[in-house]
Amino acid sequence: MKTLSLELKGVSKYFPGVRALDKVSFDVAAGEIHGLVGENGAGKSTLMGVASGALIPTEGEVILAGTRLNGGTETARDLGLAIVRQEPSLMPDLTVAENMYVGLPPEQRPSPARASRVTDDIL
Ligand SMILES: Nc1ncnc2c1ncn2[C@@H]1O[C@H](COP(=O)(O)OP(=O)(O)OP(=O)(O)O)[C@@H](O)[C@H]1O
Ligand SMILES: [Mg+2]
């Protein structure tokens, strides 16, 4: 029997006025590589957002390595699914140091007082 790394079951996602996903089911077995193809706005990023815990589906479920995910990118990462995004996700209202700070995993974040020094060192 195949070990399933990711199971999407009947996943729908509605945004105000937009049905981005309509009952999508998709299984990924360990070791498989998939390409997800669709026109602009087809829902690819939304589907990956749901799979990686960044978005909570309106209906349906996401199961990672046998565990049902109820949103949460850190939980998804702990279960083996992380995402490299198509678009950089910078927050324009934050400083460079603040953007770098929130981009670090919590256990690697410096104390707020040291954040700008750490940014200087990295840059
Ligand atoms: N946060 C949001 N709020 C409202 N509508 C959204 C949001 N995110 C996506 N949508 C809408 O959901 C639909 C699917 O968008 P999505 O970004 O998932 O498509 P995509 O297949 O990744 O497109 P692209 O090829 O342009 O990256 C589109 O109609 C989009 O406008
Ligand atoms: Mg996209």
Side-chain angles (χ1 to χ4, degrees), residues 62-121:
V62 178
I63 299 166
L64 288 175
T67 299
R68 190 175 189 279
L69 180 72
N70 190 25
T73 51
E74 286 176 28
T75 309
R77 189 164 48 198
D78 289 344
L79 292 168
L81 197 154
I83 191 159
V84 177
R85 293 198 166 272
Q86 166 187 12
E87 293 111 8
S89 47
L90 296 177
M91 287 173 260
D93 294 340
L94 301 186
T95 64
V96 171
E98 288 165 343
N99 268 284
M100 290 175 69
Y101 179 89
V102 298
L104 287 170
E107 65 277 7
Q108 289 176 27
R109 287 179 192 156
S111 67
R114 288 184 56 243
S116 96
R117 175 67 207 274
V118 168
T119 305
D120 282 347
D121 290 346

Side-chain angles (χ1 to χ4, degrees), residues 40-41 43-46 86-87:
N40 294 140
K44 305 178 296 293
S45 294
T46 303
Q86 166 187 12
E87 293 111 8

Side-chain angles (χ1 to χ4, degrees), residues 19-32:
R19 187 192 302 169
L21 298 172
D22 186 12
K23 296 188 173 66
V24 177
S25 294
F26 179 50
D27 288 342
V28 180
E32 288 181 351

Side-chain angles (χ1 to χ4, degrees), residues 4 6-12 22-27 47 50 57 59-63 68:
L4 293 178
L6 167 66
E7 298 165 75
L8 298 170
K9 295 186 175 179
V11 169
S12 298
D22 186 12
K23 296 188 173 66
V24 177
S25 294
F26 179 50
D27 288 342
L47 190 66
V50 167
E59 65 172 336
E61 47 182 8
V62 178
I63 299 166
R68 190 175 189 279

